[in-house]
mmCIF file of all heavy atoms in Angstrom:
data_model
loop_
_atom_site.group_PDB
_atom_site.id
_atom_site.type_symbol
_atom_site.label_atom_id
_atom_site.label_comp_id
_atom_site.label_asym_id
_atom_site.label_seq_id
_atom_site.Cartn_x
_atom_site.Cartn_y
_atom_site.Cartn_z
ATOM 1 N N GLY A 70 76.045 178.278 2.209
ATOM 2 C CA GLY A 70 76.141 179.335 3.126
ATOM 3 C C GLY A 70 74.822 180.039 3.405
ATOM 4 O O GLY A 70 74.710 180.743 4.394
ATOM 5 N N LEU A 71 73.867 179.859 2.543
ATOM 6 C CA LEU A 71 72.556 180.525 2.685
ATOM 7 C C LEU A 71 71.585 179.695 3.431
ATOM 8 O O LEU A 71 70.392 180.110 3.607
ATOM 9 C CB LEU A 71 72.004 180.938 1.322
ATOM 10 C CG LEU A 71 72.929 181.830 0.449
ATOM 11 C CD1 LEU A 71 72.233 182.118 -0.901
ATOM 12 C CD2 LEU A 71 73.209 183.107 1.152
ATOM 13 N N ARG A 72 71.941 178.519 3.837
ATOM 14 C CA ARG A 72 70.968 177.576 4.456
ATOM 15 C C ARG A 72 71.000 177.717 5.949
ATOM 16 O O ARG A 72 71.191 176.750 6.718
ATOM 17 C CB ARG A 72 71.240 176.136 3.994
ATOM 18 C CG ARG A 72 71.265 175.981 2.530
ATOM 19 C CD ARG A 72 71.145 174.536 2.083
ATOM 20 N NE ARG A 72 69.811 174.016 2.345
ATOM 21 C CZ ARG A 72 69.469 172.796 2.016
ATOM 22 N NH1 ARG A 72 70.354 171.932 1.487
ATOM 23 N NH2 ARG A 72 68.225 172.310 2.248
ATOM 24 N N VAL A 73 70.823 178.973 6.443
ATOM 25 C CA VAL A 73 70.691 179.258 7.872
ATOM 26 C C VAL A 73 69.441 178.537 8.379
ATOM 27 O O VAL A 73 68.345 178.695 7.833
ATOM 28 C CB VAL A 73 70.680 180.713 8.143
ATOM 29 C CG1 VAL A 73 70.498 181.028 9.629
ATOM 30 C CG2 VAL A 73 71.919 181.338 7.596
ATOM 31 N N GLY A 74 69.528 177.891 9.510
ATOM 32 C CA GLY A 74 68.432 177.118 10.067
ATOM 33 C C GLY A 74 68.407 175.674 9.683
ATOM 34 O O GLY A 74 67.757 174.863 10.311
ATOM 35 N N TYR A 75 69.174 175.365 8.595
ATOM 36 C CA TYR A 75 69.277 173.993 8.164
ATOM 37 C C TYR A 75 70.622 173.402 8.612
ATOM 38 O O TYR A 75 70.673 172.338 9.279
ATOM 39 C CB TYR A 75 69.186 173.878 6.653
ATOM 40 C CG TYR A 75 69.195 172.513 6.080
ATOM 41 C CD1 TYR A 75 68.077 171.680 6.048
ATOM 42 C CD2 TYR A 75 70.366 172.031 5.489
ATOM 43 C CE1 TYR A 75 68.141 170.371 5.535
ATOM 44 C CE2 TYR A 75 70.468 170.699 4.998
ATOM 45 C CZ TYR A 75 69.325 169.903 5.040
ATOM 46 O OH TYR A 75 69.387 168.612 4.528
ATOM 47 N N TYR A 76 71.700 174.081 8.299
ATOM 48 C CA TYR A 76 73.016 173.649 8.828
ATOM 49 C C TYR A 76 73.276 174.298 10.161
ATOM 50 O O TYR A 76 72.631 175.206 10.628
ATOM 51 C CB TYR A 76 74.092 174.033 7.815
ATOM 52 C CG TYR A 76 74.089 173.287 6.462
ATOM 53 C CD1 TYR A 76 74.035 173.947 5.294
ATOM 54 C CD2 TYR A 76 74.090 171.888 6.513
ATOM 55 C CE1 TYR A 76 74.026 173.272 4.104
ATOM 56 C CE2 TYR A 76 74.145 171.187 5.298
ATOM 57 C CZ TYR A 76 74.047 171.878 4.121
ATOM 58 O OH TYR A 76 74.067 171.149 2.936
ATOM 59 N N LYS A 77 74.269 173.771 10.821
ATOM 60 C CA LYS A 77 74.729 174.375 12.110
ATOM 61 C C LYS A 77 75.314 175.741 11.843
ATOM 62 O O LYS A 77 75.740 176.096 10.751
ATOM 63 C CB LYS A 77 75.806 173.521 12.752
ATOM 64 C CG LYS A 77 75.299 172.098 13.168
ATOM 65 C CD LYS A 77 76.496 171.256 13.781
ATOM 66 C CE LYS A 77 75.983 169.920 14.139
ATOM 67 N NZ LYS A 77 77.078 169.046 14.710
ATOM 68 N N GLN A 78 75.315 176.544 12.907
ATOM 69 C CA GLN A 78 75.775 177.952 12.718
ATOM 70 C C GLN A 78 77.211 177.941 12.249
ATOM 71 O O GLN A 78 77.583 178.750 11.361
ATOM 72 C CB GLN A 78 75.717 178.619 14.083
ATOM 73 C CG GLN A 78 74.280 178.910 14.563
ATOM 74 C CD GLN A 78 74.236 179.608 15.958
ATOM 75 O OE1 GLN A 78 75.217 179.745 16.606
ATOM 76 N NE2 GLN A 78 73.072 180.001 16.308
ATOM 77 N N LEU A 79 78.079 177.129 12.797
ATOM 78 C CA LEU A 79 79.518 177.157 12.384
ATOM 79 C C LEU A 79 79.626 176.718 10.912
ATOM 80 O O LEU A 79 80.449 177.341 10.188
ATOM 81 C CB LEU A 79 80.390 176.173 13.269
ATOM 82 C CG LEU A 79 81.763 176.019 12.866
ATOM 83 C CD1 LEU A 79 82.534 177.383 12.945
ATOM 84 C CD2 LEU A 79 82.494 175.002 13.776
ATOM 85 N N ASP A 80 78.842 175.761 10.528
ATOM 86 C CA ASP A 80 78.875 175.288 9.135
ATOM 87 C C ASP A 80 78.522 176.430 8.194
ATOM 88 O O ASP A 80 79.111 176.612 7.106
ATOM 89 C CB ASP A 80 77.932 174.113 8.929
ATOM 90 C CG ASP A 80 78.366 172.805 9.573
ATOM 91 O OD1 ASP A 80 79.554 172.876 10.093
ATOM 92 O OD2 ASP A 80 77.668 171.867 9.565
ATOM 93 N N CYS A 81 77.506 177.170 8.556
ATOM 94 C CA CYS A 81 77.036 178.333 7.715
ATOM 95 C C CYS A 81 78.078 179.442 7.626
ATOM 96 O O CYS A 81 78.373 179.962 6.560
ATOM 97 C CB CYS A 81 75.723 178.851 8.206
ATOM 98 S SG CYS A 81 74.279 177.825 7.964
ATOM 99 N N ILE A 82 78.678 179.767 8.776
ATOM 100 C CA ILE A 82 79.655 180.804 8.779
ATOM 101 C C ILE A 82 80.887 180.445 7.973
ATOM 102 O O ILE A 82 81.480 181.243 7.232
ATOM 103 C CB ILE A 82 80.075 181.115 10.293
ATOM 104 C CG1 ILE A 82 78.875 181.721 11.004
ATOM 105 C CG2 ILE A 82 81.246 182.082 10.304
ATOM 106 C CD1 ILE A 82 79.102 181.850 12.494
ATOM 107 N N VAL A 83 81.320 179.138 8.067
ATOM 108 C CA VAL A 83 82.506 178.676 7.311
ATOM 109 C C VAL A 83 82.112 178.750 5.815
ATOM 110 O O VAL A 83 82.935 179.141 4.980
ATOM 111 C CB VAL A 83 82.874 177.266 7.767
ATOM 112 C CG1 VAL A 83 83.853 176.640 6.734
ATOM 113 C CG2 VAL A 83 83.512 177.282 9.127
ATOM 114 N N ALA A 84 80.890 178.282 5.509
ATOM 115 C CA ALA A 84 80.521 178.244 4.087
ATOM 116 C C ALA A 84 80.444 179.690 3.498
ATOM 117 O O ALA A 84 80.821 179.949 2.388
ATOM 118 C CB ALA A 84 79.172 177.577 3.935
ATOM 119 N N GLN A 85 79.889 180.642 4.301
ATOM 120 C CA GLN A 85 79.819 181.996 3.831
ATOM 121 C C GLN A 85 81.186 182.571 3.608
ATOM 122 O O GLN A 85 81.425 183.384 2.687
ATOM 123 C CB GLN A 85 79.015 182.844 4.821
ATOM 124 C CG GLN A 85 77.526 182.488 4.917
ATOM 125 C CD GLN A 85 76.907 182.921 6.210
ATOM 126 O OE1 GLN A 85 77.460 183.698 6.970
ATOM 127 N NE2 GLN A 85 75.689 182.487 6.435
ATOM 128 N N THR A 86 82.152 182.241 4.507
ATOM 129 C CA THR A 86 83.539 182.766 4.364
ATOM 130 C C THR A 86 84.196 182.207 3.124
ATOM 131 O O THR A 86 84.767 182.956 2.366
ATOM 132 C CB THR A 86 84.350 182.331 5.603
ATOM 133 O OG1 THR A 86 83.755 182.880 6.810
ATOM 134 C CG2 THR A 86 85.750 182.870 5.548
ATOM 135 N N LEU A 87 84.033 180.896 2.929
ATOM 136 C CA LEU A 87 84.571 180.253 1.752
ATOM 137 C C LEU A 87 83.969 180.757 0.418
ATOM 138 O O LEU A 87 84.527 180.685 -0.655
ATOM 139 C CB LEU A 87 84.463 178.755 1.821
ATOM 140 C CG LEU A 87 85.307 178.070 2.930
ATOM 141 C CD1 LEU A 87 84.994 176.558 3.004
ATOM 142 C CD2 LEU A 87 86.802 178.296 2.647
ATOM 143 N N SER A 88 82.724 181.272 0.539
ATOM 144 C CA SER A 88 82.048 181.841 -0.655
ATOM 145 C C SER A 88 82.527 183.223 -0.926
ATOM 146 O O SER A 88 82.669 183.641 -2.106
ATOM 147 C CB SER A 88 80.508 181.834 -0.443
ATOM 148 O OG SER A 88 80.058 180.505 -0.167
ATOM 149 N N LEU A 89 82.724 184.000 0.107
ATOM 150 C CA LEU A 89 83.095 185.404 -0.031
ATOM 151 C C LEU A 89 84.489 185.604 -0.614
ATOM 152 O O LEU A 89 84.767 186.432 -1.485
ATOM 153 C CB LEU A 89 82.961 186.114 1.243
ATOM 154 C CG LEU A 89 83.046 187.627 1.263
ATOM 155 C CD1 LEU A 89 81.944 188.253 0.509
ATOM 156 C CD2 LEU A 89 82.999 188.184 2.731
ATOM 157 N N LEU A 90 85.485 184.840 -0.140
ATOM 158 C CA LEU A 90 86.849 184.985 -0.471
ATOM 159 C C LEU A 90 87.084 184.804 -1.971
ATOM 160 O O LEU A 90 87.758 185.670 -2.625
ATOM 161 C CB LEU A 90 87.743 184.018 0.369
ATOM 162 C CG LEU A 90 87.828 184.349 1.806
ATOM 163 C CD1 LEU A 90 88.673 183.270 2.523
ATOM 164 C CD2 LEU A 90 88.456 185.737 2.067
ATOM 165 N N PRO A 91 86.669 183.658 -2.590
ATOM 166 C CA PRO A 91 86.923 183.546 -4.061
ATOM 167 C C PRO A 91 86.248 184.581 -4.916
ATOM 168 O O PRO A 91 86.745 185.010 -5.971
ATOM 169 C CB PRO A 91 86.386 182.134 -4.381
ATOM 170 C CG PRO A 91 85.515 181.768 -3.312
ATOM 171 C CD PRO A 91 85.972 182.459 -2.090
ATOM 172 N N VAL A 92 85.070 185.017 -4.482
ATOM 173 C CA VAL A 92 84.362 186.088 -5.215
ATOM 174 C C VAL A 92 85.184 187.373 -5.254
ATOM 175 O O VAL A 92 85.368 187.984 -6.303
ATOM 176 C CB VAL A 92 82.943 186.328 -4.653
ATOM 177 C CG1 VAL A 92 82.224 187.567 -5.315
ATOM 178 C CG2 VAL A 92 82.036 185.103 -4.871
#
Side-chain angles (χ1 to χ4, degrees):
L71 302 179
R72 306 196 70 179
V73 177
Y75 182 80
Y76 290 126
K77 296 179 181 178
Q78 291 179 352
L79 177 61
D80 290 356
C81 287
I82 293 169
V83 169
Q85 291 160 11
T86 302
L87 292 175
S88 302
L89 191 61
L90 292 175
V92 172

